[in-house]
Amino acid sequence: MDKKTKRLYFIDAMRAWAILMMLQGHFIDGLLDPMFRDTSNVAFNIWKYFRGITAPVFFTVSGFIFTFLLIKGDKTGLQNPRVKKGVKRGLELLFIGYLLRMNLFGLLQGKIYDSFYLVDVLHCIGLSLLGIIGIYLLTQNRKKFVFPTVLLGITLTLFLFEPTYKTWGFSFLPDAFANYLTKNNGSVFTIIPWFGYAVFGSFLSIIFTKFKDFKYLYFVTIPLFAAVGMALVSYSSKLFLLLSQTTGLQLFADIYFNNYLFIRLGNVLVVFSIFMLIRGILKNSTLLKIGQSTLSVYIVHFIILYGSFTGVGLYRFFHHSLTPAVAISGALCFMVICTFTALRYEDNKEVIRLKIATSVRFALVKGEVLATSGFQTAKTLFFRLLRRVGLAKN
């Protein structure tokens, strides 16, 4: 792999594709009138199928990129600077995830709504990064094959036993913690099974890093990923049916009847193979910049669509009310607005942060001056009152 490909541009392009798919998916799913959700319509079914690919690709790519950076240096364990950065990034994503669900008007009334505690993509990715760091640290002193083996083992375990743990309500936990494990309270994503895709991306990253200097890396991985991916999509359900019939275990039958995790894993591998195949044309600067700015794009889309902080967003006014023509054209405009705004922010991030910091410091200084002035005024009035009632001398 030459110096240019060490950046792995196809990964940034995959992230850009996934975030753009997410933008249009959230917009159309949230605003399209239910009467137009016709499962007999070929176009709608294609859109629905590809929308289902978005989250698995996003989680997998997130795990891939994070681990690629984590293990590429010479330092290991706690000496690895990427560990500290990763912990900071994971906590930052958790913080932003909760921040986006905060309602300022509710806070002014002393209320925190139940929706604040719901878990979404950012929470799961943030916790996934922390989980990958934990596994990395626990296996650092083991043989090199242990780290990737544990990662792949976690993916298989979470996917195989999903029919079992998805029925658990985790009612013994406070809702704020149970929401990471069950959708019963309204969480969009849960750490299980989605952590499985993140660690699978981590596993793939280790494989890429190990063979980064192999001359025929892409020549081998492209058809391999495509073949394994298509096999999972086409034959994994049949395999679990056969296992159920052979062993009599209900678990395999349950997987067969709702085999979305392994099928989506196959989709992810196929998407990887496609982007690796066309990697030579995926060096458009804007596309790569979008792929490197997914957090900013996500934040902007959440504020505009769902009305973070104020509760006033497109979702409030147009929820399940648009026709297909309006929804599709609106989704395209929404994608442009969100990405343009996010990229503009990225270009001026340092200036904006400096202005915010300056404004905060100014507000703190003014607040201190007002507080001091208010205290002196209150003190004067208090002693004046005491003098009037004879409890203090002039």
Side-chain angles (χ1 to χ4, degrees), residues 6 12 32 34 49-50 74 101 103-104 115-116 161 163 166 221 234 274 334 353 363 392 394:
K6 282 185 178 180
D12 287 329
L32 181 67
Y49 187 85
F50 276 92
D74 297 328
R101 288 193 166 274
N103 188 301
L104 295 179
S115 59
F116 172 77
F161 290 96
K166 78 173 182 180
T221 53
S234 303
I274 293 173
F334 181 65
R353 287 181 175 177
N394 291 330

Side-chain angles (χ1 to χ4, degrees), residues 337-352:
I337 291 171
C338 289
T339 52
F340 176 78
T341 304
L343 293 182
R344 288 289 295 169
Y345 166 75
E346 289 292 329
D347 290 337
N348 300 278
K349 183 162 52 179
E350 296 305 321
V351 175
I352 293 173

Side-chain angles (χ1 to χ4, degrees), residues 89-155:
R89 184 64 165 180
L91 294 176
E92 179 185 38
L93 292 178
L94 287 169
F95 174 76
I96 294 174
Y98 283 114
L99 186 65
L100 289 176
R101 288 193 166 274
M102 187 176 291
N103 188 301
L104 295 179
F105 296 127
L107 281 180
L108 293 175
Q109 300 173 31
K111 298 178 182 178
I112 296 180
Y113 299 113
D114 290 341
S115 59
F116 172 77
Y117 298 104
L118 298 182
V119 172
D120 215 321
V121 171
L122 290 187
H123 302 82
C124 287
I125 291 181
L127 202 56
S128 294
L129 299 188
L130 296 177
I132 292 171
I133 290 174
I135 298 168
Y136 166 76
L137 293 176
L138 289 172
T139 59
Q140 62 170 313
N141 294 324
R142 307 287 182 178
K143 293 184 178 180
K144 290 185 177 181
F145 69 86
V146 175
F147 185 32
T149 302
V150 171
L151 294 171
L152 185 59
I154 290 174
T155 298

